Amino acid sequence: MPIDLRPSQALRLWHDVTLDLVRDDQPDLSARQLVVLLTVYLEPPPHTVRGLAAKLRVTKPAITRALDTMGRMGLVSRRRDEVDRRNVVIQRTLAGALAVERLGDIIVARHRELPL
Amino acid sequence: MPIDLRPSQALRLWHDVTLDLVRDDQPDLSARQLVVLLTVYLEPPPHTVRGLAAKLRVTKPAITRALDTMGRMGLVSRRRDEVDRRNVVIQRTLAGALAVERLGDIIVARHRELPL
DNA sequence: GTGGATCGTTTCGGGACCGAACTAATAAAG
DNA sequence: CTTTATTAGTTCGGTCCCGAAACGATCCAC
């Protein structure tokens, strides 16, 4: 792992990145939406509503709503699982991949600017 | 600054910390609330509604609402500026300081667990 | 087949938030 | 004083999110 981060640096990093996210025009993602987005893009598929709800320890409707909103934003899409048609698998999109990549760049840049 | 963070590590860090925040029982702070909280606790006083609105590039009512909510949570408090009584200065609280400290600890811990 | 379990979604009442516009209090300028 | 500017808060109509409960679709065991 990288060299240890001190608490003051950690908080400064969180502040700076969050400020960048608040400032840009597009609407902020909630913490729940953000962790759904990152889970879908960082962890191996398949991702289901039930699996995400269990992972985040929130109710299923909360996941459905998050997917509705992020679907409207084009960040994820949904598809029926043809093997077990009760399941819905959450899929990545180009726009979602770009948004995640952009977030990664912001964090890296703000981390690089951190004072010693 | 610490050794460079790779984008994949940065995103993993953001995911892990946000997941911790989503999982604990207390209600999630919005991005706006979080950056207000961190600004108040990281940057030198005094902090005013107007100053925060300018810094975040959001409207004043958004700041007033964020302060209302965080005030109810005990994370910040407000006081009239006695010198210029039009101003309201945002003050730190013990509960707010503890919450910020806890966030710092989470980030540091998750950062330490990051894979190489 | 039939009953029960397991999916994701929808409904419901309630609360939080949004920006634009407005108000009330205070300060500063003339 | 009186006007003008500045500050924080409030009002407004609208949107979004919350968890509990109910729902329809699907799978599985018998």
Side-chain angles (χ1 to χ4, degrees):
Chain A
M1 68 252 59
I3 284 186
D4 261 15
L5 207 58
R6 276 179 284 106
S8 66
Q9 293 175 314
L11 292 167
R12 171 56 57 187
L13 175 64
W14 216 261
H15 168 274
D16 291 348
V17 173
T18 308
L19 182 56
D20 285 344
L21 297 179
V22 167
R23 276 178 167 169
D24 73 23
D25 43 355
Q26 52 224 32
D28 302 335
L29 293 181
S30 71
R32 291 178 179 189
Q33 290 166 346
L34 191 54
V35 69
V36 165
L37 183 70
L38 290 174
T39 298
V40 168
Y41 283 85
L42 294 180
E43 306 200 339
H47 301 285
T48 66
V49 172
R50 170 146 186 75
L52 290 169
K55 169 172 175 161
L56 305 206
R57 298 177 193 161
V58 299
T59 59
K60 279 182 298 176
I63 301 296
T64 295
R65 281 187 296 261
L67 293 175
D68 288 344
T69 301
M70 291 194 293
R72 262 178 263 132
M73 296 179 184
L75 299 177
V76 295
S77 71
R78 280 185 272 204
R79 199 192 50 189
R80 275 283 159 200
D81 178 358
E82 289 305 329
V83 176
D84 182 343
R85 294 189 49 76
R86 290 172 301 179
N87 290 330
V88 162
V89 289
I90 292 93
Q91 298 184 288
R92 302 171 185 172
T93 64
L94 178 56
L98 289 174
V100 169
E101 187 180 356
R102 203 172 55 85
L103 173 61
D105 290 343
I106 291 174
I107 302 169
V108 169
R110 290 303 206 165
H111 180 266
R112 196 155 30 216
E113 294 168 5
L114 241 33
L116 283 180
Chain B
M1 68 250 61
I3 285 186
D4 262 13
L5 208 57
R6 275 179 284 104
S8 67
Q9 294 175 313
L11 291 167
R12 171 55 58 187
L13 175 64
W14 215 261
H15 167 274
D16 292 348
V17 173
T18 308
L19 182 57
D20 285 344
L21 297 179
V22 166
R23 276 177 167 170
D24 73 22
D25 44 355
Q26 50 224 34
D28 301 335
L29 293 181
S30 71
R32 290 177 181 192
Q33 291 166 346
L34 190 55
V35 69
V36 165
L37 183 71
L38 290 174
T39 298
V40 168
Y41 283 84
L42 294 179
E43 306 202 339
H47 300 285
T48 65
V49 173
R50 169 161 171 65
L52 291 168
K55 170 173 173 159
L56 307 204
R57 296 176 195 163
V58 299
T59 59
K60 277 181 299 177
I63 302 296
T64 294
R65 281 188 297 261
L67 293 175
D68 287 345
T69 300
M70 292 194 293
R72 264 179 309 228
M73 295 179 184
L75 299 176
V76 295
S77 71
R78 280 184 271 204
R79 199 192 51 187
R80 274 287 158 196
D81 179 357
E82 289 304 329
V83 177
D84 182 342
R85 294 188 49 76
R86 291 173 299 182
N87 290 328
V88 163
V89 292
I90 292 93
Q91 298 185 287
R92 303 170 186 175
T93 65
L94 178 56
L98 289 173
V100 169
E101 187 180 357
R102 202 173 56 84
L103 173 60
D105 290 344
I106 291 174
I107 302 168
V108 168
R110 289 303 206 167
H111 180 266
R112 195 156 32 219
E113 293 168 6
L114 242 33
L116 284 181

